Amino acid sequence: MTESFVDTLGVHGRTADDGTAHLQLDATEQHLNEAGTVHGGVLATLVDTAMGQAVRSLTGEDDVPATSQLTVTYLRAGKPGRLAAVGRVSKQGEHLTVCEADVEQEGRTLVHAVATFAVLHT
């Protein structure tokens, strides 16, 4: 079995139940940008993954949540250390689901995101 993108990134502690998902990443030097802070793409990946898992916790086994819109608001810079992301389903429609997510470090919110997911039935 090949390693997934988030596994390669170092994401761990993934749990999802009843429309809420949690995951963690221990940010190291490899996750930093040239300014020495956690790369924005890493943070965007964390919120996207957390929200996708939150959606999946409410769908069928063969359903695949696909991000159709993602807005990430970067509130403050992250540094090496533990990052914790929480994704939550906010509204569920017939074909689209709206979610929110946050990434925190040391009790401070780094990122807030809102996304719309379509659920693909395979």
Side-chain angles (χ1 to χ4, degrees):
M1 184 172 164
T2 60
E3 198 172 43
S4 72
F5 173 67
V6 294
D7 290 333
T8 301
L9 196 61
V11 173
H12 60 90
R14 289 187 274 172
T15 62
D17 186 46
D18 198 29
T20 301
H22 298 265
L23 55 86
Q24 297 177 348
L25 173 74
D26 295 319
T28 65
E29 297 295 320
Q30 70 184 26
H31 298 105
L32 306 182
N33 58 28
E34 291 180 3
T37 61
V38 177
H39 192 284
V42 171
L43 296 169
T45 296
L46 292 177
V47 291
D48 186 48
T49 301
M51 290 184 285
Q53 290 184 348
V55 173
R56 179 164 260 174
S57 76
L58 296 175
T59 63
E61 187 73 22
D62 294 330
D63 295 335
V64 178
T67 310
S68 60
Q69 176 272 331
L70 173 64
T71 301
V72 181
T73 303
Y74 298 93
L75 301 169
R76 59 181 47 87
K79 59 187 178 183
R82 174 73 45 99
L83 302 173
V86 178
R88 300 164 299 282
V89 171
S90 300
K91 304 284 183 209
Q92 231 178 342
E94 188 173 336
H95 301 289
L96 299 174
T97 300
V98 178
C99 298
E100 292 188 49
D102 296 292
V103 175
E104 292 187 356
Q105 186 174 50
E106 297 176 354
R108 297 182 64 178
T109 303
L110 304 182
V111 169
H112 179 75
V114 178
T116 303
F117 288 81
V119 177
L120 308 176
H121 305 286
T122 58

